[in-house]
Amino acid sequence: MILGKVVGTVVTTISHPHYDNRRLLVVQPLTLPGDAAEGDFIAVDNTHAGIGDTVLVNREGNGARQALNLPDGCIISVIVGIVDSVHLPSLK
Amino acid sequence: MLFGRVRGTAVCTIKYPDMKGMKLLVVEPLDRKLKPAGPLQVAVDVVQAGPGDLCVMVRSREAALALREHTFVPVDLALVGIVDELKVRPDGEFDFTLKEGYQRYT
């Protein structure tokens, strides 16, 4: 999984059936200071995260299918947790 | 999943047989600020998107799973949603860097 911050919401009325009544959030991954910023992406919200939350995102299809209980779902990124705190003793 | 702008259509007569009847759209991946984030690519359309539509795209095996009948087709990019509304916070609002020590987020 990766650490990311929710920066936006996406509303789609016409979408694939697997995306019905699921919230789509725009997530920007967190990176170490000095590293290049990674690209943002869209994730399906599974834990009622909102804008500004720091979240745990699973970016692998198999894990996403299990998290959403969709045996053949076409969803890759799923928010699987809201992070309370992170402890990094040293950034080296 | 990622954002994509439909830039045009592609027609293929000689292709993988199972891909018959699949609508091919030329799309451009975008980032959250709707700036181009990659080269033009061809995606299979599942939601009847037209030229100029902002769409949600999915890559890799999930793109093949998004198709109606789950045949084993060599498709790795599919349009799975048409964006109606997009609300994104401005850049300076959040800090995206991990800090040393104990960092509390909630």
Side-chain angles (χ1 to χ4, degrees):
Chain A
M1 278 88 76
I2 64 165
L3 287 169
K5 195 170 274 288
V6 177
V7 290
T9 59
V10 180
V11 174
T12 60
T13 38
I14 304 169
S15 60
H16 190 277
H18 290 157
Y19 290 75
D20 283 352
N21 46 55
R22 293 192 195 284
R23 290 177 65 232
L24 291 177
L25 298 175
V26 182
V27 176
Q28 167 72 36
L30 300 185
T31 51
L32 289 174
D35 286 0
E38 290 172 30
D40 50 65
F41 56 90
I42 306 171
V44 166
D45 173 29
N46 203 21
T47 58
H48 308 298
I51 291 184
D53 287 349
T54 300
V55 289
L56 208 58
V57 187
N58 183 317
R59 299 197 68 184
E60 193 271 334
N62 210 359
R65 281 191 283 279
Q66 286 163 24
L68 296 171
N69 205 359
L70 280 171
D72 54 1
C74 62
I75 294 168
I76 291 182
S77 309
V78 177
I79 293 178
V80 290
I82 298 179
V83 175
D84 288 326
S85 63
V86 170
H87 181 226
L88 291 172
S90 83
L91 290 184
K92 299 295 170 300
Chain B
M1 292 84 77
L2 61 154
F3 290 111
R5 175 80 68 188
V6 177
R7 300 294 295 272
T9 57
V11 175
C12 241
T13 48
I14 299 174
K15 58 191 171 185
Y16 189 81
D18 284 355
M19 286 181 66
K20 204 166 72 66
M22 287 185 189
K23 183 175 158 193
L24 302 176
L25 292 178
V26 179
V27 292
E28 180 178 38
L30 304 176
D31 62 11
R32 68 170 181 268
K33 295 190 279 290
L34 304 187
K35 296 284 182 292
L40 294 189
Q41 290 156 19
V42 178
V44 172
D45 175 30
V46 177
V47 285
Q48 287 78 36
D53 283 351
L54 178 63
C55 299
V56 174
M57 307 195 299
V58 65
R59 284 200 194 286
S60 76
R61 172 66 181 144
E62 283 63 39
L65 285 175
L67 305 178
R68 289 295 177 239
E69 64 292 342
H70 300 321
T71 53
F72 281 92
V73 283
V75 167
D76 73 346
L77 186 60
L79 295 179
V80 288
I82 299 177
V83 175
D84 287 314
E85 205 185 298
L86 172 62
K87 280 205 290 288
V88 178
R89 308 302 293 179
D91 270 352
E93 188 160 333
F94 299 123
D95 175 14
F96 301 118
T97 56
L98 289 165
K99 302 219 174 8
E100 199 165 280
Y102 185 73
Q103 175 79 20
R104 188 150 184 73
Y105 287 111
T106 51

